[in-house]
Amino acid sequence: GAVVSQHPSWVICKSGTSVKIECRSLDFQATTMFWYRQFPKQSLMLMATSNEGSKATYEQGVEKDKFLINHASLTLSTLTVTSAHPEDSSFYICSAVTGGGLGNQPQHFGDGTRLSIL
Amino acid sequence: QKEVEQNSGPLSVPEGAIASLNCTYSDRGSQSFFWYRQYSGKSPELIMSIYSNGDKEDGRFTAQLNKASQYVSLLIRDSQPSDSATYLCAVPIRAGGFKTIFGAGTRLFVKA
């Protein structure tokens, strides 16, 4: 149980393109999902907390107009990197919690999306 | 002081040995503690959860929790080369709702 699917797994695109990443909870409902970014050999960096039916909560320093998050259903959250540039190239990972969204439950991660902007 | 601290390593152990990974946390009110394994280029996967003081065993893995010392550890018995990965300690803290703080991770190398 607690499977999180993330798509696509790899994206290569030109500078200026907008890229959408999907995160789905396959066998449970996730009122809360999280989006992380990870650069090579660095730790996870939380970008934002995605709440179903409401606006996402962004971490300090993360541009909400650059990284658009939509959590329209209990099983789907999307992250759109708008007008992506080479410095946005990174490994993006989503996660979700079971247990009705209680934050003290473990997070279950998607497989991640490797984004390369040329 | 960082909220969740881990020795970054790398920790190198021979195959068959016990690997000991340590983590300290700053929020005395924390009640849940998690260990994740992350292979290079992959996303983290949950390997252990612990909520009560003492030891919790699952196969070759043992998590140990000492809330008085604000310390949680992960022991890997009979280490295998396939255990070579980065191990992340994660602790939810109260910040409005809950927010999970991840340690920077300890890189483990198991030498064949």
Side-chain angles (χ1 to χ4, degrees):
Chain A
V3 178
V4 176
S5 173
Q6 189 173 340
H7 179 82
S9 56
W10 199 293
V11 180
I12 301 174
C13 58
K14 294 180 180 179
S15 184
T17 306
S18 291
V19 178
K20 180 185 281 189
I21 303 170
E22 292 187 349
C23 181
R24 295 181 184 272
S25 56
L26 297 186
D27 52 359
F28 65 100
Q29 292 184 332
T31 54
T32 304
M33 292 184 173
F34 303 91
W35 288 96
Y36 294 86
R37 181 167 54 183
Q38 188 174 38
F39 293 105
K41 299 190 184 302
Q42 295 188 22
S43 59
L44 291 172
M45 187 195 83
L46 178 64
M47 299 177 67
T49 301
S50 172
N51 302 297
E52 187 269 335
S54 64
K55 291 183 179 180
T57 303
Y58 290 82
E59 295 299 301
Q60 192 173 8
V62 178
E63 299 175 60
K64 61 181 179 181
D65 295 331
K66 172 78 171 177
F67 300 99
L68 301 179
I69 291 172
N70 184 280
H71 194 155
S73 78
L74 287 171
T75 59
L76 174 64
S77 176
T78 61
L79 168 69
T80 301
V81 183
T82 61
S83 187
H85 292 285
E87 59 266 28
D88 298 321
S89 299
S90 188
F91 190 43
Y92 292 85
I93 316 172
C94 73
S95 72
V97 291
T98 57
L102 293 176
N104 60 346
Q105 296 298 310
Q107 294 184 24
H108 301 276
F109 287 87
D111 288 339
T113 297
R114 194 160 302 282
L115 177 61
S116 295
I117 307 299
L118 305 177
Chain B
Q1 180 188 6
K2 292 182 181 178
E3 292 169 297
V4 178
E5 290 203 58
Q6 296 181 253
N7 187 322
S8 63
L11 173 66
S12 184
V13 299
E15 184 175 0
I18 296 175
S20 178
L21 307 165
N22 304 315
C23 173
T24 58
Y25 60 94
S26 60
D27 185 357
R28 284 195 169 275
S30 295
Q31 297 296 319
S32 309
F33 307 87
F34 308 109
W35 283 99
Y36 292 83
R37 177 177 61 198
Q38 186 176 22
Y39 291 113
S40 180
K42 303 294 185 181
S43 64
E45 59 177 317
L46 179 69
I47 54 172
M48 288 290 283
S49 305
I50 187 165
Y51 304 92
S52 304
N53 277 330
D55 295 359
K56 179 183 177 182
E57 186 174 318
D58 184 0
R60 294 186 297 110
F61 299 100
T62 299
Q64 298 175 318
L65 175 62
N66 184 325
K67 292 183 180 179
S69 301
Q70 295 173 245
Y71 177 91
V72 58
S73 65
L74 179 70
L75 301 178
I76 306 175
R77 289 183 302 282
D78 188 23
S79 295
Q80 301 297 309
S82 59
D83 295 325
S84 298
T86 296
Y87 289 81
L88 305 172
C89 173
V91 183
I93 63 170
R94 284 196 178 274
F98 278 99
K99 179 178 177 178
T100 296
I101 306 299
F102 285 85
T106 298
R107 291 171 63 198
L108 172 67
F109 291 106
V110 180
K111 298 175 293 184

